[in-house]
Amino acid sequence: MTKILTGGVGKVEVTRTIDALGIDSLDVAASSDIDAAMKFRAGQADYYLGTCHTGAGASLGVLVGLMGSAVCHTFGRGVPDAAQIDALLADGKKVFGFSMDQIDTIAPLMARAIADRG
């Protein structure tokens, strides 16, 4: 089971959006950024999806600071395609940020890509 934590101002919406997909291999839970960082360090989480109004700063600030930028990526206000997400996951990215108005598009893309990685 792959554990995805969601955070930021749209964490509940991201959790609901992913849960609605019905992907059995994903366990999704809303979290705070501090709690998510601690769970990552303890091996209790696999991915983090953070949201804010711009998708650039507040969605990932604490995780970038505690985990380092090598595992973090922000889409900002852009919308990636499946190939971009696959490339980021293959590169070892585990923490992603995006804007609240992109939840309906990006959250399902991320969930499916993560589930496909097994």
Side-chain angles (χ1 to χ4, degrees), residues 69-117:
S69 60
V71 297
C72 301
H73 179 79
T74 180
F75 296 113
R77 304 226 5 101
V79 177
D81 61 25
Q84 289 170 305
I85 292 171
D86 287 340
L88 290 165
L89 292 171
D91 192 37
K93 304 296 185 193
K94 303 265 184 204
V95 177
F96 296 89
F98 50 95
S99 64
M100 285 192 49
D101 62 342
Q102 304 294 348
I103 290 172
D104 290 342
T105 304
I106 296 178
L109 285 170
M110 289 299 307
R112 290 182 183 111
I114 290 168
D116 287 348
R117 295 187 70 76

Side-chain angles (χ1 to χ4, degrees), residues 1-7 18 25-29 31 36-37 39-40 43-50 63 67 71 85-86 88-96 110-111 113-118:
M1 179 80 54
T2 302
K3 179 74 170 186
I4 299 174
L5 298 176
T6 65
I18 294 173
S25 63
L26 299 180
D27 178 20
V28 185
S31 176
K39 285 184 178 179
F40 266 101
Q44 299 171 347
D46 300 298
Y47 296 93
Y48 176 84
L49 305 179
L63 284 124
M67 297 181 61
V71 297
I85 292 171
D86 287 340
L88 290 165
L89 292 171
D91 192 37
K93 304 296 185 193
K94 303 265 184 204
V95 177
F96 296 89
M110 289 299 307
I114 290 168
D116 287 348
R117 295 187 70 76

Side-chain angles (χ1 to χ4, degrees), residues 30-62:
S31 176
S32 71
D33 49 3
I34 296 286
D35 187 50
M38 296 305 116
K39 285 184 178 179
F40 266 101
R41 287 187 172 189
Q44 299 171 347
D46 300 298
Y47 296 93
Y48 176 84
L49 305 179
T51 53
C52 66
H53 293 286
T54 65
S59 63
L60 300 182
V62 169

